[in-house]
Each structure stands twice: as structure tokens, then as C-alpha cells.
Amino acid sequence: YNSLMNIVYCIDQNYNKQCYVSIKSIIDQHKEKINFYVLHNNSKTFSTEVITKNTKNKNYDIKIIDFFDSDLLGKSDEKLNLKISHITKATLYRLFLSNYLYDSIEEIVYLDADVLCLKNFYNDYLEVFKEMKKNRYAIAAHTIGTAEGNKEILDSLKLINGKYFNAGVVFIDYKEWKEREIESKLQKMLFSKKFKYLDQDILNKFFDGDYYEMSPTLNFLLRPVEG
């Protein structure tokens, strides 16, 4: 392995601030070289200066990449089932990564823009990808739902393996992802059937338990303290 981490976000301008905070939280915890790729619906609104002005560590690179809505085949929000308030078109951009990322990239971590980094996870990054390659897993994720207590969503997706993962943090063996032509299969699912939680449901339906189970410390929910 080289000492390079690749992190991908897919956002629209409504999530610029959250993304600034997320990227800064990662930079502040790492000395390792990091490449950030931000797929964006309007790159002019995203200012990397906000991050560079407020970070001492400069061992990173941020590439802002304009996403072309034509990749969504001109489908309306209604046809894409974008009626759930917290879901936007940007969440679908990761189903089209190969249109925008370099072919030379071998692995990436996809993060939702509201993910905060609380510690250095470079060693975890190396370990997860090492284990994934051993078993040729295309993705690693954290299971948040099992057959017990999640019957409705598991039944609606007809998941055989009885596991449902959160897609806010996903490690992707990008080489494997491309070799298996996973994107074109995911895109067919996107345009053929309605899924309530769109890409998260689509990814769960496609992989149906066939993913590397990463440590919950790499994706856990911070809940407000009650008092």
C-alpha cells in the first residue's frame, strides 16, 4: 500500500457547510496524504479556501468535480422517488463514480457530508482494504439492521441474508467495483424500480449481505445527550 487515502463526497450546495466541517475534521486528525474528491451539482459555490484558511496540516488535495445531471437520464425528481425530504439527487452521484474518478484509483471511502472524524483511521483504512481484497469484497459497511426488529424493510427489499447496512460510510474496492461492472447494474436498478431510501436500498438489495463487516467504530451515530 502507498500512504494515500482517497475520500469521496457527493453533495449539492445545501451541504457545503457540512462538507467543510467533515473534511476539516479528517485533515485535523491525520498526517497522512489524503485526496478528497467532491462530486458537486454546482462547484462554483464550494470554496476550498474555507478549509485551507482554517487548517494547519496542508498534506491534502481537494478536487471539486461538477456532476452532470444528464447522467441521471433526465429523470424528474418524482420518477427518482425524491420525495423524502432529506434525500436529494446528490445522493445518487455515487452510482456514477467511474464517470468522474481517475481509473488509477484502487480504493475509496465514500462519506456522507455530515460525517465527523473523531480520530485517525489510517490504520483501519489499510486493514479494511487488506481484508476486503483477501475475500474480493467490493464494499465494506456497518450493519444497522438485522432480521429482528427490521422485518418491514428486509421484507420489502426481499433480502435473503437478513442484513441491512448504513450507506453513509462505505469503503469501496474501486478496482473490484469497476471489474465487476457494478455501477451499470446499480443504475439499472435505479431506473427500473422505486426504492424508498434510494441508493442505500439499492446498494443493500444488490449486495444482499455480501460485504465486509467493518468495525462499528468506523460508522456510529452520535445522539444528543438527554438531560
Side-chain angles (χ1 to χ4, degrees):
Y1 280 107
N2 56 26
S3 59
L4 180 68
M5 297 170 70
N6 295 303
I7 313 284
V8 174
Y9 295 90
C10 299
I11 65 167
D12 58 31
Q13 61 195 76
N14 296 314
Y15 280 86
N16 283 349
K17 286 181 182 174
Q18 292 93 322
C19 197
Y20 296 151
V21 174
S22 183
I23 290 174
K24 185 181 184 306
S25 74
I26 295 172
I27 293 167
D28 286 349
Q29 296 288 349
H30 293 80
K31 292 177 182 174
E32 295 79 13
K33 169 75 174 163
I34 307 171
N35 278 340
F36 293 97
Y37 301 90
V38 182
L39 268 66
H40 204 293
N41 74 326
N42 186 357
S43 64
K44 290 175 186 171
T45 66
F46 194 94
S47 170
T48 55
E49 284 180 22
V50 174
I51 299 162
T52 53
K53 274 196 304 190
N54 294 291
T55 52
K56 291 176 184 175
N57 175 11
K58 303 298 178 191
N59 195 24
Y60 64 89
D61 184 53
I62 304 173
K63 289 183 173 59
I64 317 301
I65 305 163
D66 272 307
F67 183 89
F68 298 106
D69 269 354
S70 56
D71 274 341
L72 294 173
L73 305 184
K75 298 284 184 184
S76 67
D77 285 8
E78 190 172 344
K79 282 188 179 171
L80 289 170
N81 200 27
L82 289 169
K83 289 177 277 190
I84 302 170
S85 60
H86 69 282
I87 292 179
T88 66
K89 269 185 185 173
T91 194
L92 306 175
Y93 296 175
R94 63 169 143 187
L95 305 185
F96 300 85
L97 291 176
S98 63
N99 292 9
Y100 300 92
L101 299 182
Y102 302 125
D103 279 339
S104 57
I105 295 172
E106 293 201 4
E107 63 241 350
I108 56 177
V109 176
Y110 165 84
L111 298 179
D112 278 350
D114 58 0
V115 170
L116 281 177
C117 178
L118 302 179
K119 73 180 186 80
N120 184 305
F121 66 95
Y122 177 66
N123 288 333
D124 298 289
Y125 180 98
L126 296 183
E127 184 62 26
V128 169
F129 281 117
K130 181 179 159 191
E131 291 301 314
M132 286 170 67
K133 287 176 193 301
K134 264 191 213 172
N135 300 286
R136 292 202 64 186
Y137 284 116
I139 67 165
H142 172 50
T143 300
I144 53 165
T146 53
E148 196 176 327
N150 294 274
K151 194 172 184 307
E152 187 183 337
I153 195 159
L154 294 172
D155 284 355
S156 69
L157 293 174
K158 296 183 171 63
L159 297 179
I160 298 163
N161 280 304
K163 289 166 63 179
Y164 186 89
F165 64 83
N166 174 272
V169 177
V170 182
F171 285 59
I172 300 172
D173 184 329
Y174 192 52
K175 195 175 176 203
E176 188 79 15
W177 175 272
K178 287 182 295 182
E179 282 176 5
R180 284 163 55 182
E181 298 180 344
I182 287 170
E183 275 183 23
S184 60
K185 295 164 187 170
L186 295 174
Q187 289 164 21
K188 278 180 190 168
M189 292 170 72
L190 171 65
F191 298 128
S192 66
K193 183 181 176 182
K194 287 187 176 179
F195 290 87
K196 185 176 181 183
Y197 295 108
L198 290 173
D199 53 326
Q200 181 162 283
D201 277 3
I202 289 167
L203 288 163
N204 271 281
K205 177 65 178 171
F206 180 80
F207 288 104
D208 197 358
D210 183 25
Y211 55 88
Y212 178 73
E213 184 67 45
M214 67 189 189
S215 164
T217 61
L218 291 170
N219 183 9
F220 64 95
L221 185 63
L222 285 174
R223 289 186 169 86
V225 177
E226 293 179 14

